[in-house]
Amino acid sequence: MPLHLQIIPDLSHAVAPLAALLRAPVADPFTPEWLVAPSQGVHRWLAEQLAESLGTSPDGRDGIAANIRFAFPGALVAQALGGRLADDPWEVPRLTTALLTVLDRHATPLPEGLTKDRRVAFARQAADRFDRYHVHRRAMIEAWARGDDVLTPVRGAAPQGVPEAQQWQPALWRAVREQLGVPSPPERVAQALAALQEGTPPAGLPARIMLVGSSALAPLHLDVLWALAGTVDVHAWLVHPSPGVLRAAVERLRHEAVRPAGWREPLGDHPLRAVARVPLLDSWLRPAQGMQRQLAVRGMAATPVVAGEPATVPATRLARLQALIREDQPPAGAPVLPPLADQSVRLHGCHGPARQAEVLREALWHAFRELPGLRPEEVLIVAPDLPGMAPHLETVFGTMRPGADPEPGQLPVVVADRSLREVNDVAEALVRLLDAGMG
């Protein structure tokens, strides 16, 4: 079965083809569809958009999005590779406990400055780091398991040793590997991936899978998608917000040779460095450019979805900023100032997060009055520290449960992308109790 891979400028371009795909019947209507997206907020948005696209009325907005399993990329990869182990000791919470046991024994060299009162925090940080290594640095972990203290191996280049200040990492990883007595995920992946590449259908997955909204995927995830396409129908829509940069990157990678399995990019040799003419875009799009490179060296062809050209020359600040990002066109000549009445981009100076939430509420009320047809579900609030900002938003806007109707005069705000301990007092109390017991 083929891998259908498309690159879209934003999520809205995936809604129509997703709805068309879901309208096509499957052999077993009771088997849930798998729709994989990178965050809880994207899950909720896609569910709302699909419900408005799957109806039978002329505008299609009377539909229902049901029997869809919204999952994260990691869950899909785990299921494709045979499912997660029951009580897997390499899961971050249990790995944290095992690291604390190793730290208590002082069995390995430790980083300078680690004191007893910081053991729990350090163990959790180390568990998160090792978990990311298992996904993004699989070859390095396999080398550590063999006793080679090297960085990610690069085919055709001499291996680089771990810097002296970081040599505690492979030593600590091997110590916790011995403590757990179970092969790490990268060690288990090789055999499972080989079975998948041989065409063995994975258990627990439907006949087709849809992946939407990721701007970057780990090399392991790309390998699994490529192998998975041999047994199930895989449709993926990857986001790249700048068609201008995308065109330049495709042109630069046109003659890129397909590399053998296990190949890694030599440090400092990335062909897409500085491909964007706007320096800020080059920084913003680095993960997406890295994924484009990974697709090229694997021979995975992706079809760019061309967005419609704007009908008029952008006249507002917001439109010009969007055009700059979209087309990668640096401003030419002296800047042209928009009229004073242009309020498309507004900056508010506030003395704290509570005041920010209050000003945001008033600004949104003005926007709903000034922009007829604007709906609450079309508004996205972005915060760099969502756990810290969420209580202020809920206090000012009021708490809204998904599916509930807002009270008169209330703006319906739902805070997404928070962990269970941040929204459940019982879970938070349990975590604090466990932390106290480990201290």
Side-chain angles (χ1 to χ4, degrees):
M1 295 184 180
L3 170 63
H4 309 275
L5 190 60
Q6 292 187 319
I7 299 180
I8 56 178
D10 58 68
L11 282 174
S12 65
H13 287 77
V15 174
L18 260 178
L21 190 63
L22 289 172
R23 288 192 188 97
V26 293
D28 184 1
F30 296 101
T31 300
E33 302 273 10
W34 272 59
L35 205 165
V36 182
S39 71
Q40 190 67 42
V42 176
H43 291 174
R44 182 175 291 118
W45 184 85
L46 284 172
E48 294 174 351
Q49 296 299 311
L50 289 173
E52 293 187 352
S53 304
L54 292 172
T56 57
S57 64
D59 61 3
R61 297 185 63 179
D62 60 342
I64 297 175
N67 203 27
I68 299 175
R69 176 178 176 179
F70 290 93
F72 297 107
L76 171 63
V77 170
Q79 189 67 39
L81 296 178
R84 298 186 186 275
L85 292 179
D87 299 323
D88 188 354
W90 287 95
E91 294 286 348
V92 170
R94 297 190 66 189
L95 180 57
T96 303
T97 304
L99 282 165
L100 284 170
T101 303
V102 173
L103 293 174
D104 285 339
R105 295 203 317 257
H106 298 287
T108 64
L110 299 176
E112 295 183 6
L114 179 61
T115 57
K116 185 175 182 179
D117 61 336
R118 294 187 61 246
R119 288 184 308 114
V120 175
F122 172 78
R124 180 54 190 249
Q125 292 171 359
D128 286 334
R129 177 176 297 187
F130 289 159
D131 187 62
R132 291 195 298 270
Y133 286 167
H134 292 163
V135 175
H136 298 280
R137 298 288 185 266
R138 187 158 46 105
M140 182 180 73
I141 291 297
E142 292 172 349
W144 287 6
R146 297 191 301 267
D148 299 330
D149 294 352
V150 296
L151 300 176
T152 302
V154 176
R155 184 179 295 272
Q160 298 186 18
V162 175
E164 183 177 357
Q166 302 296 327
Q167 287 181 358
W168 59 269
Q169 293 194 46
L172 182 60
W173 185 90
R174 281 192 291 268
V176 77
R177 166 69 170 79
E178 181 180 357
Q179 169 72 22
L180 295 174
V182 175
S184 65
E187 296 173 89
R188 303 196 303 259
V189 157
Q191 183 177 1
L193 192 58
L196 194 61
Q197 290 169 340
E198 290 173 359
T200 304
L205 289 179
R208 65 185 178 196
I209 293 169
M210 295 151 285
L211 185 145
V212 183
S214 294
S215 61
L217 290 173
L220 171 61
H221 294 181
L222 290 174
D223 290 340
V224 169
L225 283 180
W226 183 254
L228 195 59
T231 59
V232 300
D233 201 11
V234 179
H235 298 259
W237 290 268
L238 308 177
V239 175
H240 194 297
S242 178
V245 176
L246 178 60
R247 288 192 296 269
V250 169
E251 183 63 30
R252 209 177 265 194
L253 293 173
R254 186 178 301 278
H255 304 292
E256 188 67 28
V258 176
R259 307 292 183 176
W263 182 85
R264 293 294 182 272
E265 183 75 50
L267 297 177
D269 194 31
H270 199 295
L272 297 184
R273 291 187 187 277
V275 68
R277 288 174 287 184
V278 178
L280 188 60
L281 282 181
D282 199 55
S283 175
W284 282 353
L285 299 177
R286 192 163 297 164
Q289 293 169 3
M291 185 174 64
Q292 281 185 267
R293 172 65 162 157
Q294 294 293 331
L295 292 173
V297 300
R298 285 167 171 76
M300 300 169 70
T303 303
V305 174
V306 180
E309 296 295 329
T312 59
V313 177
T316 65
R317 289 186 178 95
L318 179 59
R320 290 179 181 179
L321 178 61
Q322 292 170 332
L324 181 143
I325 294 174
R326 183 174 56 247
E327 296 301 327
D328 187 29
Q329 290 286 356
V336 179
L337 296 178
L340 294 177
D342 180 12
Q343 299 292 312
S344 59
V345 177
R346 308 179 191 182
L347 302 179
H348 301 273
C350 305
H351 59 262
R355 182 58 181 159
Q356 290 179 32
E358 293 171 350
V359 173
L360 172 62
R361 180 188 57 189
E362 300 305 315
L364 287 176
W365 277 123
H366 282 290
F368 285 118
R369 285 196 297 265
E370 296 169 0
L371 300 174
L374 179 63
R375 297 182 295 170
E377 60 267 27
E378 296 173 333
V379 177
L380 175 66
I381 301 173
V382 181
D385 178 20
L386 187 58
M389 194 66 193
H392 301 285
L393 293 173
E394 291 175 338
T395 299
V396 172
F397 287 88
T399 303
M400 274 287 300
R401 295 185 178 277
D405 293 328
E407 299 178 0
Q410 180 188 15
L411 286 176
V413 173
V414 177
V415 181
D417 294 343
R418 287 193 292 173
S419 67
L420 180 62
R421 63 181 295 184
E422 292 168 351
V423 298
N424 189 299
D425 293 336
V426 175
E428 173 65 13
L430 180 60
V431 170
R432 289 181 178 273
L433 181 62
L434 292 175
D435 286 344
M438 294 177 184

